[in-house]
Amino acid sequence: MLEAEHAHAFAASARHALRELQIILRTWPGPGAGGSDLRARGSGRGPAPAPVVPISEPEAQALASELTGALTSCDEAALARLVNWEWMFRTAARASGAKAKQEKALYEVLRGREGLGKEFLCEGSSQIAFVGLRTGAQGQGLVYRMDSETGPNYIEFSVGKEQGGPARCLDRHDYRSGLRLSELLATGPRLHADVEALAKIRASLATAPREAFEEAKNYTERPSIYALAVVAAAHIGEREYRAALGEYEKRFPGDLSVYVQALETLSALGEYQLADEALLALQAGTNDADGLLSARVALLLSAKNFSLATELAEKALAAHPEQQEAHYRLLEVHVLNRNFAGAVAVMRLLGERFNVRFSEEGKDTSHPAYVELLASDEWSAY
């Protein structure tokens, strides 16, 4: 069972996954929900999404530049232009699982919705950082890092263009929840079942992991729920976790969201070796070694692997001497490793390069290492 102090991060992840489904729950126009019944909107198959072709690296960079600005400022007009909502609506309707006679109705419901950019794309986007263009089994995607108190997360916008059209975003994939926006939009007819399944499985991950595992692995076509089988297996044991992860990777090749979800759980459980493997897989998939450096150093410190944490922090400082963050990262490593001479050396660098001066007043004394630093000869000399 998870220790109490680990529950906060785990609960935050669960809330994150359910929040997006609940947005649809509040606004979905279904029977008894104050909206129109799908059956009253006609019948027949919806229009098929147009074929899309890959975009070039220059097109990706130009799209990313515009998209970053639109997201950070929540520019609805720009998002309407940069996202191919029509393509997404058609894809969602085709993937909805609704009967064919309701597919057209679902498509028309989606087309009638407004404010989707603000509703689904803007929240938390002021903290995003563009990582790069990723090409995988699911096609091309613009990858953004979104850090939070519960650890690193990524948002991937799949991209492409219709023949003769501009490069645009086709979908949005939130790694932490595992949900794609098209999946959310297609969820309407089965929304309550999805919410109940997610809530039930997540509630039993720590207390009844085998039951959660058996339930989650039934969702073989829903990676956002099937990933919980991997998380549940982490609670059971290393052998079960590796087997479940291997099955996930086989079923959903190139899907990186499972590593974000597994990383949080493995770290909370103190399975630092497995957590480091998940982080390295995420790093390789996103090509974001710099962006994940702080998370990896923190993980290595939790595992008390001071030698590797020091090596990575020193390399980062050598590569980016202009970044204060790189200095503070190495300073933390030295202090927690009780290398007070190294810590004071970094303090002096901060003074020389950024005019930063440390004093005992207001110093963090919540960790014994900082108390020892303040009592050391090296601090006195400083």
Side-chain angles (χ1 to χ4, degrees):
M1 186 180 296
L2 283 176
E3 298 292 340
E5 60 266 26
H6 294 147
H8 173 70
F10 197 77
S13 179
R15 288 195 300 270
H16 185 86
L18 291 174
R19 178 188 61 79
E20 297 201 331
L21 283 175
Q22 288 165 343
I23 291 174
I24 289 282
L25 184 63
R26 290 197 303 269
T27 60
W28 184 259
S36 302
D37 191 333
L38 286 176
R39 290 170 295 184
R41 290 178 173 259
S43 63
R45 299 220 65 181
V52 294
V53 296
I55 64 177
S56 66
E57 181 71 33
E59 287 177 313
Q61 292 296 332
L63 177 57
S65 178
E66 286 195 84
L67 181 63
T68 302
L71 289 171
T72 53
S73 62
C74 198
D75 186 334
E76 278 275 18
L79 290 172
R81 176 172 51 83
L82 298 172
V83 177
N84 191 338
W85 292 105
E86 174 68 16
W87 191 93
M88 194 185 304
F89 295 157
R90 293 184 179 199
T91 300
R94 283 289 167 110
S96 66
K99 295 179 181 179
K101 65 182 182 181
Q102 292 186 338
E103 187 180 298
K104 182 179 178 181
L106 174 57
Y107 163 73
E108 303 227 347
V109 167
L110 293 175
R111 287 196 76 195
R113 297 191 61 184
E114 297 180 353
L116 288 173
K118 182 176 182 179
E119 194 170 12
F120 286 103
L121 305 183
C122 292
E123 184 175 342
S125 293
S126 60
Q127 304 300 319
I128 63 172
F130 178 58
V131 175
L133 175 67
R134 175 174 178 259
T135 301
Q138 303 298 319
Q140 295 175 298
L142 300 179
V143 179
Y144 288 83
R145 185 178 63 258
M146 183 184 291
D147 295 324
S148 70
E149 64 180 26
T150 56
N153 186 29
Y154 290 86
I155 305 295
E156 181 174 341
F157 291 88
S158 58
V159 294
K161 60 182 180 182
E162 297 176 9
Q163 198 65 45
R168 289 193 287 177
C169 299
L170 306 175
D171 209 342
R172 170 189 179 273
H173 186 195
D174 183 322
Y175 286 9
R176 175 163 287 133
S177 69
L179 294 165
R180 288 175 170 80
L181 181 50
S182 61
E183 181 184 1
L184 283 166
L185 296 175
T187 294
R190 61 190 179 203
L191 175 64
H192 290 277
D194 282 346
V195 170
E196 289 173 4
L198 277 167
K200 177 183 176 183
I201 295 169
R202 286 186 176 276
S204 60
L205 283 172
T207 57
R210 291 191 182 276
E211 288 84 347
F213 173 79
E214 293 298 330
E215 178 72 17
K217 74 176 186 179
N218 292 324
Y219 291 82
T220 54
E221 296 183 2
R222 306 296 301 280
S224 58
I225 301 180
Y226 193 90
L228 296 182
V230 181
V231 176
H235 288 268
I236 300 171
E238 179 178 350
R239 184 181 66 177
E240 290 82 358
Y241 166 75
R242 290 190 184 279
L245 179 61
E247 184 63 25
Y248 186 97
E249 292 171 334
K250 184 169 66 176
R251 288 183 180 276
F252 311 107
D255 189 322
L256 302 178
S257 63
V258 69
Y259 301 119
V260 171
Q261 298 181 59
L263 176 61
E264 293 179 356
T265 299
L266 292 166
S267 299
L269 291 171
E271 295 287 353
Y272 299 120
Q273 178 59 43
L274 295 178
D276 195 40
E277 291 176 14
L279 194 150
L280 289 174
L282 183 61
Q283 176 180 300
T286 59
N287 195 28
D288 190 27
D290 284 349
L292 288 171
L293 181 60
S294 289
R296 189 160 190 231
V297 168
L299 180 63
L300 292 168
L301 288 175
S302 297
K304 294 183 169 49
N305 188 342
F306 295 113
S307 60
L308 186 51
T310 301
E311 178 185 337
L312 291 177
E314 286 178 341
K315 284 183 178 178
L317 180 54
H320 299 285
E322 77 286 355
Q323 294 181 357
Q324 285 195 43
E325 180 187 358
H327 293 73
Y328 283 111
R329 186 186 298 119
L330 181 57
L331 174 58
E332 179 186 23
V333 172
H334 282 325
V335 171
L336 296 182
N337 194 28
R338 272 68 171 185
N339 179 3
F340 299 139
V344 168
V346 176
M347 290 179 186
R348 295 189 189 282
L349 278 179
L350 281 163
E352 295 168 8
R353 295 173 176 174
F354 306 102
N355 198 30
V356 174
R357 178 70 184 174
F358 292 85
S359 65
E360 189 168 338
E361 183 179 352
K363 198 66 181 166
D364 179 11
T365 57
S366 60
H367 194 287
Y370 286 94
V371 177
E372 293 174 33
L373 169 65
L374 297 178
S376 69
D377 293 338
E378 290 84 356
W379 173 261
S380 298
Y382 170 78

